[in-house]
Amino acid sequence: MEKRVMVVKIALAFLLALASTAVFSPTDKVRGEGKVLRTGNYAFSPAPNGGNSPDLEATGLIAASRGVLYDGTAAYAGWMGSAGSAGTVHVMIDLLKDYSLDQIRIVLNAPNKYWGFKDITVKYRPEAATGYYIATRHVKQGTDLNYAVTVPMANQTARFIVLDIRRTQAYQHIPLTELEITEGTGAPGQNPAPPFTVAQLKAELNKDALIADRFGQWINDPWPGKVTSDAQLRQEYATEAVALANVKLDPAKYDAYGGIKSMGQFEATGYFRLQQIGGKWWFITPDGYPFIMKGVDATSLWDPGYQTPTLKADGTPRQIFEALPDRTAYAPAYTKDTNGEYISFVVANVMKKYGDNFEAKWEDITKKRLILWGFNAFSKWTKPKGVAFPYVQVLQDPPTLRRIQWSYDVFDPQAAPTIESALRAQLTTGKASKWLIGYTYDNEAGWTTDIVKSVLAYKSDSPAKQAFVDFLAPRHNSDLAAVNRLLGTNASSFEALKDTPIDIAKVPAADVSAYLKLASATYFSTVRNVIKKYDPNHMFMGANVVPTWRTSLEWDQGAMPYVDAFSVDSYTRDAAWMDRYEPYGKPLLNLEHSFGSSDRGLSYISAPTKTTSIAERGDAYQAFAESQAANPLFVGSGWYAYYDQPVTGRADTENYNIGLVNQQDQPYTEMIERMKSAHAVLEAIHQYGPNLASGAVATASSSYAAALAAANATDGSGSTRWGSKYNDNEWIRADLGAVKTVNRVRLSWENAYGKAYKIQVSSDGTNWRDVYATSAGNGGVDDISFAATSARYVRMLGVQRGSAYGYSLWRFEVYAS
């Protein structure tokens, strides 16, 4: 594209960003003041398989004058969801000539809760333009069935409009009820080209729209702190380096690996291990101290998930970037493989930000960030090269294994030697590492009845099919006639049955279930044996299954005798994912989870993890982390991931808001403050149960200022505090809402601490009993236990200050017996 055209395109995109934002409007919203256009044609991709004629199943052009989208009625086009449904549906509109547009209003009325959409992107182009401009990307808000999106167009000119409507998940149905395109004040275009055919309209889907600026940021919206220059990046590094200069693990609280010293020292084996303490599972560090893993996934600067393709499938450039980093100056940011070329804006921005020796400087900042934020491990996937931190290593299954759908044939006699050959070097290298926590193997690939169904259709050249018949025969007393009657087959022998397709519907459910358990035991025992042969020092922690996808309870059950801990990837807000595993008593890890919002051009992963703001991402994390920690089986988790995915999509098109840090290396501070608060109490919650004072109504004898209110000590945040006036004999109390049995209080003091104070309890808030007293307070964190007692109100009564100031608490926590 010529430089002049690109400049015009960028200018128009910038003006549009200022003028056009999507807003929710009810379906009876007054139309724009201009004429509502009912001209031209439109087409769909794919064709609607729901809704009303003439749009239903339409594969050709539909005239605006007769289609259901312009008729002003409840008739609609619809796309039914299924396992194989397209994630995005497209509507291509040809107005036949250029029009100045006032607004576009899109009505998406859902018949019931199973209908809806995740987000909608509205793109447009004048006839003469070679690419598209993005008018808006609107994320559905709320649960209203009647929904409309109004897109101000500010007299922008368009002949072609494309709607990209995405599903939240495959089974969601998408409705599209009405389109109202309102003409603006400019004159219509003259001498237009002929109407586009369906093929020409579908070709419009291959035209690019400008998405990212030269830093890889969403180009269509402004926001506070958006990077505008290399100098800004350098200044942010200088500022953060000063702020983090003295950050390191506190040796009084932690051992070198992050183990908690206050819980006492247990057997030190020189490697990470697991142990039950008081009925709760814990990791034990190589030095013998308890440890809950608070990990981050994909932490490497070079992680391929942070790259975005620069080329289309046909090898032509993607015209979606304002500008790409200079290929010579930022050569490390570019990579190639057989599928094309990729740019990592993460790498390019880090190079701009940190300058000479950028990777070492970035590693120093990254480690200090994670320590300050309360993280203590690299939990999955890639990690920085030069940072000593506890980590989990994922062992990938070799690509040469005999595949069955997303998994492989675990009964293949060549599987074990193939796996051993592939893993030997990694295991030998990891054997001596004190930082290695343990291994997981493969990823999100358990067996289900779908796998068994495939196996039963195979012939005797399938080891899995052979294993099924060998397993089934003795379960039915090796009675061939009885097995043939059961399966509806006519095999002359059990060997012949191995060559006979079997309908899974004819196989008793108990047999399918037992076969799945056998397959699982074969898989996990094989992997365990290989690991222990070459590395007896480290744990085998499962295969990162997704509890509701590509696994089964039988598969998970079959793993339990062979794993030291059981790992899952559970993107949810509900710690109840652990309930199904409680009968087995194994330590549990959630090695992939996160929360995201659709903002700055990025998207959230799924409905359960959707949030509406950066701050809410932190709130969701805190609630989830604390609820997981309360389970006695829980030993750790991993946040996926350190950086956001690229706004322009990684190779598989994902562009999720999942990072602790954006691709411009800017931390999401509002979220991270809540994460810090959660991390500070996870060990206490795991050891003692939920904090009963979290969110409790708090009152105090005084507050030095309005910003130091009593509620700050029970709000769950470690960055807000209560501070009294500068007197002795000040107090703070928490109302637990009902009488509870309590036996522990934790006080996290600010510098203004209590030298002498009491912990008191009451059932009515008037009559108080002492349960603890000290005259030797020295600040920090006081973990106070006392005999179990009933109380609704718990208070700290200061007797003598430890400083010239008052009493000040970051946290006031209460725990049950």
Side-chain angles (χ1 to χ4, degrees), residues 652-672:
D652 61 1
T653 75
E654 286 185 6
N655 71 335
Y656 294 141
N657 170 220
I658 52 175
L660 302 174
V661 183
N662 65 24
Q663 288 222 329
Q664 295 68 50
D665 199 53
Q666 296 171 310
Y668 286 112
T669 305
E670 291 176 279
M671 176 181 71
I672 287 163

Side-chain angles (χ1 to χ4, degrees), residues 311-376:
L311 306 175
K312 299 180 186 179
D314 62 5
T316 59
R318 299 174 80 195
Q319 301 290 339
I320 60 174
F321 306 104
E322 175 189 32
L324 289 171
D326 182 271
R327 293 175 183 275
T328 301
Y330 300 100
Y334 288 89
T335 56
K336 289 184 178 180
D337 63 21
T338 55
N339 295 313
E341 181 189 67
Y342 307 88
I343 176 66
S344 171
F345 280 101
V346 168
V347 173
N349 289 328
V350 164
M351 293 177 72
K352 294 173 182 178
K353 182 173 184 175
Y354 296 92
D356 294 339
N357 200 22
F358 67 90
E359 188 170 6
K361 295 174 183 175
W362 172 85
E363 285 184 341
D364 178 64
I365 288 291
T366 296
K367 181 174 183 178
K368 289 176 177 178
R369 283 174 176 171
L370 295 180
I371 291 172
L372 179 65
W373 300 345
F375 290 99
N376 60 12

Side-chain angles (χ1 to χ4, degrees), residues 103-269:
Q103 67 177 35
I104 301 171
R105 186 164 177 269
I106 308 156
V107 181
L108 307 102
N109 290 343
N112 55 55
K113 67 180 181 179
Y114 301 106
W115 291 71
F117 67 101
K118 182 177 185 178
D119 56 50
I120 181 168
T121 300
V122 180
K123 301 181 291 187
Y124 71 97
R125 75 172 178 91
E127 185 173 301
T130 58
Y132 274 81
Y133 308 107
I134 295 177
T136 194
R137 179 169 169 271
H138 174 80
V139 181
K140 188 177 188 298
Q141 304 295 328
T143 58
D144 288 352
L145 296 180
N146 290 337
Y147 200 89
V149 178
T150 299
V151 185
M153 292 297 294
N155 287 318
Q156 297 294 335
T157 299
R159 170 175 170 175
F160 301 101
I161 300 169
V162 174
L163 311 181
D164 297 330
I165 311 172
R166 292 202 299 173
R167 289 181 163 91
T168 302
Q169 42 84 15
Y171 290 93
Q172 185 178 44
H173 312 314
I174 297 176
L176 181 56
T177 312
E178 202 72 21
L179 286 174
E180 293 178 357
I181 302 172
T182 307
E183 189 174 2
T185 57
Q190 301 297 312
N191 304 314
F196 269 31
T197 64
V198 168
Q200 286 175 307
L201 280 179
K202 288 187 176 180
E204 293 295 290
L205 300 179
N206 296 321
K207 288 185 168 65
D208 291 323
L210 191 61
I211 294 175
D213 68 10
R214 66 189 184 92
F215 298 101
Q217 299 168 116
W218 177 246
I219 201 168
N220 293 285
D221 295 311
W223 58 82
K226 188 174 185 180
V227 176
T228 59
S229 68
D230 294 3
Q232 179 185 340
L233 287 173
R234 292 192 293 270
Q235 182 57 54
E236 287 176 355
Y237 167 48
T239 301
E240 190 173 16
V242 171
L244 299 179
N246 298 318
V247 171
K248 60 182 179 180
L249 278 180
D250 183 349
K253 294 182 179 179
Y254 306 102
D255 71 6
Y257 307 95
I260 307 298
K261 288 187 173 180
S262 63
M263 289 185 63
Q265 189 173 19
F266 298 82
E267 181 185 1
T269 63

Side-chain angles (χ1 to χ4, degrees), residues 494-757:
F494 281 112
E495 287 302 309
L497 186 60
K498 295 176 182 178
D499 267 322
T500 304
I502 299 170
D503 182 357
I504 192 173
K506 301 290 183 64
V507 183
D511 289 339
V512 174
S513 179
Y515 178 66
L516 283 168
K517 291 177 183 176
L518 174 64
S520 177
T522 305
Y523 172 99
F524 284 99
S525 62
T526 297
V527 175
R528 180 180 180 84
N529 290 341
V530 171
I531 290 174
K532 296 304 178 183
K533 179 177 179 179
Y534 294 99
D535 183 358
N537 298 326
H538 294 101
M539 294 173 285
F540 175 32
M541 302 189 299
N544 304 308
V545 300
V546 178
T548 57
W549 182 67
R550 289 187 174 180
T551 192
S552 57
L553 186 56
E554 293 90 347
W555 180 265
D556 299 348
Q557 288 173 334
M560 295 302 176
Y562 306 101
V563 297
D564 299 294
F566 191 79
S567 61
V568 306
D569 295 346
S570 186
Y571 289 84
T572 178
R573 291 175 183 258
D574 191 350
W577 68 264
M578 290 182 276
D579 293 351
R580 66 187 276 166
Y581 304 119
E582 284 188 353
Y584 312 107
K586 285 286 182 178
L588 298 174
L589 295 130
N590 185 1
L591 292 183
E592 275 192 35
H593 74 284
S594 61
F595 301 95
S597 59
S598 288
D599 191 19
R600 305 179 185 181
L602 297 169
S603 179
Y604 60 91
I605 292 178
S606 61
T609 63
K610 174 186 176 182
T611 60
T612 60
S613 67
I614 294 169
E616 190 189 335
R617 292 178 73 203
D619 292 338
Y621 176 85
Q622 182 170 20
F624 186 53
E626 292 182 4
S627 63
Q628 286 189 124
N631 192 299
L633 301 178
F634 180 76
V635 291
S637 65
W639 173 273
Y640 186 82
Y642 187 64
Y643 283 111
D644 283 331
Q645 292 174 336
V647 70
T648 47
R650 64 181 193 180
D652 61 1
T653 75
E654 286 185 6
N655 71 335
Y656 294 141
N657 170 220
I658 52 175
L660 302 174
V661 183
N662 65 24
Q663 288 222 329
Q664 295 68 50
D665 199 53
Q666 296 171 310
Y668 286 112
T669 305
E670 291 176 279
M671 176 181 71
I672 287 163
E673 286 302 314
R674 302 301 281 179
M675 291 177 148
K676 288 170 59 177
S677 298
H679 292 156
V681 298
L682 289 192
E683 287 85 4
I685 290 173
H686 190 60
Q687 191 173 10
Y688 308 128
N691 171 18
L692 302 179
S694 180
V697 174
T699 53
S701 54
S702 70
S703 294
Y704 185 78
L708 301 177
N712 291 345
T714 59
D715 65 359
S717 170
S719 59
T720 59
R721 64 185 175 92
W722 164 68
S724 76
K725 293 182 178 179
Y726 298 174
N727 304 312
D728 291 331
N729 300 310
E730 300 281 355
W731 54 261
I732 183 173
R733 78 177 191 184
D735 179 356
L736 306 182
V739 173
K740 307 282 179 69
T741 301
V742 299
N743 75 335
R744 185 173 297 273
V745 166
R746 279 170 54 96
L747 305 175
S748 298
W749 296 101
E750 195 253 353
N751 292 334
Y753 66 94
K755 180 178 180 181
Y757 64 88

